Each structure stands twice: as structure tokens, then as C-alpha cells.
């Protein structure tokens, strides 16, 4: 029906254009047309409508009519004028030969104008209140986004911003380009409610600088997909998403060393413990792209293992890889299970990411934290020695440096275990060399880094969730600072660090500049288009609420025990030179710790941890152990039978 209406309109417009052209050229009221003039007009209209149909002019949806439809109109009207011109030449019409040219101009104006007018009428009836948006970037991406938004019913682009002096003052589709220096005034003047970043290929540092300028405006900021996504076709220019926190860190990626990446992985059997966790799963994603012969996924959580196995199989299928996946359930606290896996699949490289890492949770569950983080690492390391694993990489944490919580000291003790094993084997420990005479070439190392964005327990997803729910945003302390790194970058650096191991190495990742958590929360609020609630006037949208440091938490983290580190061949990986315990001392500590753990004696476990050379100083806000003492009595009857069973075994 719409197409028939458009045809009917053109059947009126084309004759009207002809007579208007005559009126403009001659005094039509005193001009006598010959009979053939009407034949010429009929022929022109007939063939014009057929040509309009042929070029698809009636298939265009009027309310979305744009540049392509206008091109079709020009083509169709030009054809119509040519037909009229030919009839004027070959028929005795009495029509002046200049008429086809005037007809072309009038018909073009009326045909285009009719469609444009209907489009505006329909859109004005359908549209609700449009959001006024500004586009930051007036280059090709910004102009493409502008065209896309012009055809939507919810966005009204009113401003373009660009630091290119050549573009300033230019007008694209009715929208003027202004300088970033005038952004605050222009945003206020135009009533901008949202800013869209349309610069997919700029550096991270440049993006960070732009965002820092936008934060005070308290206008919601969104961005188009990355340049790589646009080129690959995995995302369209109009697919907007909120600014990633990675953009606020301002760290440009360092090109990885391909030799280091593939050294411990390509054509080898690789095992990742804790494969379903934040770091473990990202390690798996990057490892399969390096094409190991086999990847063993070792995970305690059934769902975690299922999720990462399913995801990896999808990647393997889409990229046509030949990697064999082996998903296995199990706990690193079960040495015989870990050893059986390593021996059965002849594992070459182990990335040990299995750990309890949530500070308050481990503080409240000391015994399980020590069991998993310390003895899980100890048993996995012994199994690696016995299975003749080439490289064993422990994923550590900055909380292991001068720890103030159980999680931190348990990870430091795990580091000491690997250091002790490596140094004792290298120094010719007779007991160890006798036990592992063939397997004493295993290289142990650990990679220490800070918080990773979007990991389980990270503050960033929590802040984003709280902002969406209307607040408050909870921050433990106004002065607390943390180092941050993206999960992919951390995993990539872990893989490269492991390849540089010689035995007992402590690698420390360059985490960049520390981030003040309260400022991070404030920035996320402002970039969501909201304002922090003023403490004095109570004016604002989202409150920042300070809840106090959590059990075992400290204001800042460190990456080095001593200020003694050496550069490596990778600019973001350092090798730390730190003190360690002899294997004889460690054996005594581990034996006493295991006995106390089996007995559920939290006081004794704490006493042993305090005697370590790890500078462990429990934070003043650590919970007392009364509730753990209660838990100890509830498990004591089972401890006796467990010890008897162990002795019998």
C-alpha cells in the first residue's frame, strides 16, 4: 500500500513538474501546446515510473530514507528528463528545448522533497524525547556514528568534538565541530546528556587523558567498539558500551615476546590448576592459542570446569586448532591425584593458579586457607618433581609482601616452599636428590602481581553493580590504594615470565601507577552521568560510603620485600632478589603446621605463621579467633580418626 501511494504521488509530481517548468520558461496561459506535447508527457511519465521501479526507488523505507535513496532519486529524475528531451526533439510538440533542463530541476526538488517531508512527518509522530548526545571524534568513525544515530529515534546528536584544528568549525549533517577546550561550555549550552567516544584506534594513554577531562562534566560516557572489532566485523559502529576501567589505567600494551610465549607451551603438555578461576581461565584461553599438544584443565569446582571447558572447545572449533583438552576434577590438596594426573599425561609445564585469594574469606577460614594455599602448592610441587615436570609456575600475589592477613602469609609460605625446593635441589640436598634423583631438574618460579580487573572479588564489578542499583558505593577507606592490571595482560606476562625461570625465581610484574580506590569509585560515578552525593548538602545521585578496612586488609600493597630487583628481557617483568628459608627449616615448619591444622588448633597455626621469616604482622582489624576456636571443637572428634587413617595409609 505504501509503494502504491508513492507511485500515485509521483504520477502527480511529474506532470506538475512539467507544467511548472513551462510556466517558468513561458507564460503558460498564453502558450499553445501542440497535441504531441501531451503524448510526450505521457511517454515520459510511463517510462519514468518503470525506471523508478527498476532502480528500487519504491523499496526504500521512507522514515529511514538517506543518502543512497537521494542518489536513486537523482538517477531516476535524470532518466525522466532525458526521455522528455528525446520526445521534444523527435516529436512536433512545440515545447522549447530548454524545458527538459528546467523540468529536471523542478522534478528533483519535488520528488526528493515529498519523500523527505513524509519522513520528517512520520518521525515527528513516532519519536519520543530524544537523548541529546555529543560525539567525541569527528573523523571517519565519528561521522559514521553520526549517520547511524541520525536514523535512530532515541539519540539526537547535537555536538561534535575534535582536537583536529582543521575540522573545527566544520558542519557535518547539521552538527558543528568544536574544540575540546570548549567542551564544558558547549555541553551545557546544548544540554548534552551523553558523550560517545568515536576514536577506536587512539592509544590508551590518549584515551585516559580524554576521560580525565570528561569526568568533571558528570555526563554519561560510552564508547564504540575497538578498531580491531570494527575491522573484523564482530561489532558495528552503532554498538555502544560503557567505558572500560582499563581505559582509566592508561597502560598501552607491550608487544609480547613470541619466543617467551611459546617456549613452555608450543607442542607441550600443559596443566593449569584452578583452571576455572579468573586467572586460571584466562591462562587457558591464551595457552590454547599458542597451540600446546595437550591442555589439562584441573579444577575443584564442577561448574567452573564445565564452563571453561565449553568455552575453550568453542574457541578450538572456531579457530580450527588441534589442541586436545583434558578436563579433570580434583583438589591440589590431594597429592596422589595430582601426581597421577601429571604422570598419566606426561605434563611438561604447570601453571599453579589454584588458591583461595579473597582476603576476608581466608581470614575467616584460616585452616582451609592454609591447607589450600600452602599444602596445595607443596603437594603440587612434590608431584611435579616426581612426575619430571619441566617448569612449575606459581601464581602469587602482592599481598605476600609483608603480609597483614592469612591469605597473604599463606601465599608467602607457598613462595618459600618453592624457593626452598629449588635452592635445595640446586645446592645438592642429599635427601631430596635421593628421593627425586631423576626429577631434580624441575624449574620452580613464582610470579607476583597485584589486583586484576574483573576478577572474582575485584572492586570494579562491585562498584558498577552498586551504581546501577542507585548506590551507595562502598569503599573501605578514603586513602586506600591498589595496583591494577587487566586479566589478559597478567596472564600473558605470567606465561612469558615462566619461560625465563632458572629455578627459585621470584618474578614481579610492573603494575603501573597505584590507583586510589575512592577516586576510582568517584570516576565511575561521574562517567555514568551521575554525581556523588555531597556530604554537607546531601545533593547528588550516588553516595560513597566508607565501611572501614576489612579483616586483614591494609591501606596499600607492595610488590617487593626488599628494594632489590633486576630487569629481565621483558620491560614489564622484574626478577626480585629476596631472602628464603632452607629446606630443613621449611620441613620443620610444614610438619608442625600440618599437625596443628589437622588438630584444628587455630592458635598454634597462627603462632607458627608468626614465626616465619615473612614479616607477618596481623592487621589490627583482624577478627579474633573465638569463632574459629568454636569450630575447632566441632571438628576435633574427626581429627583423631583422620590421623589414624593417615598413619595406616
Amino acid at each position: 500500500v505504501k509503494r502504491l501511494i508513492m507511485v500515485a504521488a509521483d504520477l502527480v509530481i511529474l506532470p506538475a513538474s512539467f507544467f511548472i517548468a513551462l510556466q517558468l520558461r513561458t507564460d503558460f496561459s498564453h502558450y499553445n501546446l501542440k497535441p504531441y506535447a501531451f503524448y510526450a508527457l505521457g511517454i515520459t511519465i510511463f517510462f519514468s515510473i518503470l525506471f523508478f521501479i527498476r532502480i528500487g526507488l519504491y523499496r526504500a523505507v521512507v522514515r529511514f530514507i538517506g543518502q543512497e535513496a537521494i542518489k536513486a532519486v537523482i538517477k531516476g529524475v535524470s532518466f525522466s528528463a532525458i526521455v522528455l528531451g528525446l520526445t521534444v526533439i523527435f516529436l512536433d510538440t512545440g515545447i522549447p528545448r530548454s524545458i527538459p533542463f528546467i523540468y529536471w530541476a523542478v522534478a528533483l526538488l519535488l520528488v526528493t522533497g515529498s519523500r523527505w517531508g513524509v519522513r520528517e512527518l512520520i518521525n515527528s509522530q513516532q519519536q519520543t524525547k530524544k537523548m541529546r548526545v555529543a560525539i567525541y571524534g569527528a573523523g571517519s568513525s565519528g561521522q559514521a556514528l553520526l549517520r547511524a544515530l541520525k536514523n535512530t529515534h532515541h539519540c539526537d546528536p547535537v555536538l561534535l568534538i575534535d582536537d583536529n584544528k582543521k575540522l573545527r568549525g566544520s558542519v557535518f549533517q547539521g552538527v558543528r565541530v568544536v574544540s575540546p577546550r570548549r567542551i564544558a561550555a558547549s555541553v551545557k549550552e546544548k544540554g548534552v546528556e551523553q558523550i560517545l567516544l568515536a576514536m577506536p584506534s587512539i592509544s590508551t594513554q590518549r584515551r585516559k587523558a580524554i576521560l580525565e577531562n570528561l569526568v568533571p562534566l558528570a555526563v554519561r560516557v560510552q564508547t564504540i567498539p575497538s578498531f580491531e572489532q570494527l575491522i573484523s566485523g564482530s561489532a558495528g559502529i552503532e554498538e555502544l558500551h560503557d567505558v572500560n576501567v582499563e581505559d582509566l589505567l592508561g597502560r598501552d600494551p607491550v608487544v609480547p615476546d613470541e619466543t617467551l610465549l611459546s617456549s613452555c607451551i608450543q607442542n607441550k603438555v600443559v596443566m593449569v590448576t584452578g583452571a576455572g578461576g579468573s586467572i586460571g581461565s584466562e591462562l587457558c584461553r591464551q595457552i590454547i592459542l599458542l597451540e600446546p599438544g595437550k591442555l589439562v584443565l584441573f579444577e575443584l569446582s564442577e561448574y567452573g570446569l564445565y564452563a571453561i571447558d565449553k568455552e575453550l572447545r568453542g574457541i578450538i572449533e572456531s579457530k580450527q586448532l588441534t589442541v586436545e583438552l583434558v578436563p579433570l576434577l580434583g583438589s591440589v590438596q590431594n597429592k596422589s591425584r595430582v601426581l597421577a594426573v601429571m604422570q598419566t599425561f606426561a605434563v611438561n609445564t604447570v601453571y599453579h593458579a589454584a588458591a583461595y585469594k579473597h582476603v576476608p574469606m581466608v581470614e575467616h577460614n584460616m585452616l582451609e586457607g592454609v591447607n589450600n594455599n600452602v599444602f596445595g602448592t607443596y603437594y603440587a610441587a612434590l608431584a611435579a618433581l616426581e612426575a619430571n615436570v619441566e617448569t612449575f609456575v606459581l601464581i602469587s600475589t602482592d599481598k605476600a609482601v609483608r603480609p597483614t592477613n592469612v591469605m597473604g602469609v599463606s601465599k608467602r609460605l607457598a613462595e618459600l616452599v618453592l624457593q626452598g625446593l629449588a635452592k635445595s635441589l640446586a645446592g645438592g640436598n642429599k635427601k631430596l636428590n635421593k628421593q627425586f634423583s631423576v626429577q631434580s631438574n624441575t624449574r620452580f618460579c613464582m610470579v607476583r602481581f597485584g589486583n586484576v580487573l574483573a576478577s572474582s572479588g575485584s572492586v570494579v564489578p562491585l562498584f558498577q553493580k552498586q551504581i546501577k542499583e542507585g548506590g551507595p558505593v562502598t569503599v573501605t577507606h578514603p586513602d586506600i590504594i591498589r595496583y591494577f592490571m587487566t586479566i589478559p595482560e597478567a596472564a600473558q606476562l605470567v606465561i612469558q615470565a615462566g619461560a625465563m625461570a632458572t629455578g627459585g625465581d621470584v618474578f614481579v610484574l610492573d603494575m603501573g601507577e597505584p590507583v586510589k580506590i575512592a577516586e576510582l569509585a568517584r570516576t565511575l560515578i561521574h562517567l555514568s552521568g551521575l554525581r556523588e552525593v555531597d556530604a554537607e548538602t546531601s545533593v547528588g545521585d550516588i553516595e560513597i560510603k566508607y565501611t572501614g578496612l576489612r579483616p586483614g586488609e591494609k591501606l596499600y600493597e607492595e610488590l617487593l620485600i626488599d628494594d632489590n630487583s633486576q630487569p629481565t628481557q621483558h620491560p614489564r617483568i622484574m626478577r626480585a632478589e629476596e631472602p628464603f628459608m632452607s629446606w630443613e627449616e621449611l620441613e620443620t615448619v610444614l610438619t608442625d603446621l600440618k599437625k596443628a591444622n589437622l588438630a584444628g588448633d587455630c592458635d598454634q597455626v597462627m603462632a607458627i605463621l608468626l614465626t616465619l621469616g615473612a614479616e607477618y604482622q596481623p592487621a589490627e582489624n583482624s577478627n579474633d579467633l573465638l569463632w574459629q576456636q568454636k569450630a575447632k571443637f566441632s571438628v576435633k572428634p574427626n581429627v583423631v580418626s583422620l590421623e589414624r587413617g593417615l598413619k595406616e595409609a
Side-chain angles (χ1 to χ4, degrees), residues 155-352:
C155 286
D156 180 17
V158 295
L159 188 66
L160 284 166
I161 306 155
D162 204 293
D163 53 8
N164 186 342
K165 294 180 180 179
K166 295 180 181 178
L167 293 177
R168 290 176 195 169
S170 302
V171 176
F172 297 98
Q173 299 190 47
V175 182
R176 183 175 294 278
V177 181
V178 301
S179 166
R181 287 181 296 181
R182 295 194 62 248
I183 188 169
S186 298
V187 164
K188 186 176 181 181
E189 177 189 336
K190 297 288 186 180
V192 171
E193 303 168 74
Q194 188 170 343
I195 297 176
L196 309 177
L197 294 183
M199 296 176 293
S201 58
I202 61 170
S203 68
T204 309
Q205 285 283 359
R206 177 69 185 126
R207 186 179 293 268
K208 180 188 178 186
I210 290 171
L211 290 173
E212 286 174 349
N213 289 334
L214 298 180
V215 167
L217 302 177
V219 175
R220 187 182 183 190
V221 179
Q222 287 191 302
T223 182
I224 65 173
S226 68
F227 188 70
E228 290 76 13
Q229 290 174 308
L230 295 175
I231 291 296
S232 65
S234 60
I237 192 79
E238 73 286 348
E239 294 181 38
L240 304 171
H241 55 78
D242 291 329
V243 172
N244 294 321
V245 181
E246 291 93 319
D247 295 328
L248 305 175
L249 298 181
R251 283 169 62 94
D252 286 316
V254 172
V255 177
D257 186 323
E258 295 298 332
T259 304
L260 292 178
L261 279 178
S262 60
S263 174
C264 295
I265 294 175
Q266 199 166 46
N267 300 321
K268 294 180 181 288
V269 179
V270 182
M271 177 177 177
V272 178
T273 68
S278 304
I279 295 294
S281 60
E282 181 60 32
L283 279 169
C284 292
R285 292 183 195 101
Q286 296 198 24
I287 287 169
I288 61 168
L289 297 178
L290 297 169
E291 299 188 88
K294 191 175 296 182
L295 177 57
V296 180
L297 312 174
F298 196 75
E299 173 59 54
L300 180 62
S301 163
E302 180 191 21
Y303 176 75
L305 183 63
Y306 161 76
I308 188 61
D309 178 59
K310 182 179 180 183
E311 180 184 345
L312 294 178
R313 290 187 188 281
I315 295 173
I316 289 172
E317 183 179 350
S318 65
K319 295 189 177 294
Q320 298 182 332
L321 303 173
T322 57
V323 182
E324 180 185 348
L325 283 185
V326 183
L328 297 174
L329 285 168
S331 169
V332 290
Q333 298 179 43
N334 184 345
K335 183 198 167 188
S336 59
R337 170 67 171 161
V338 177
L339 176 60
V341 170
M342 291 182 181
Q343 288 179 331
T344 300
F345 297 101
V347 173
N348 303 114
T349 305
V350 174
Y351 294 98
H352 182 56

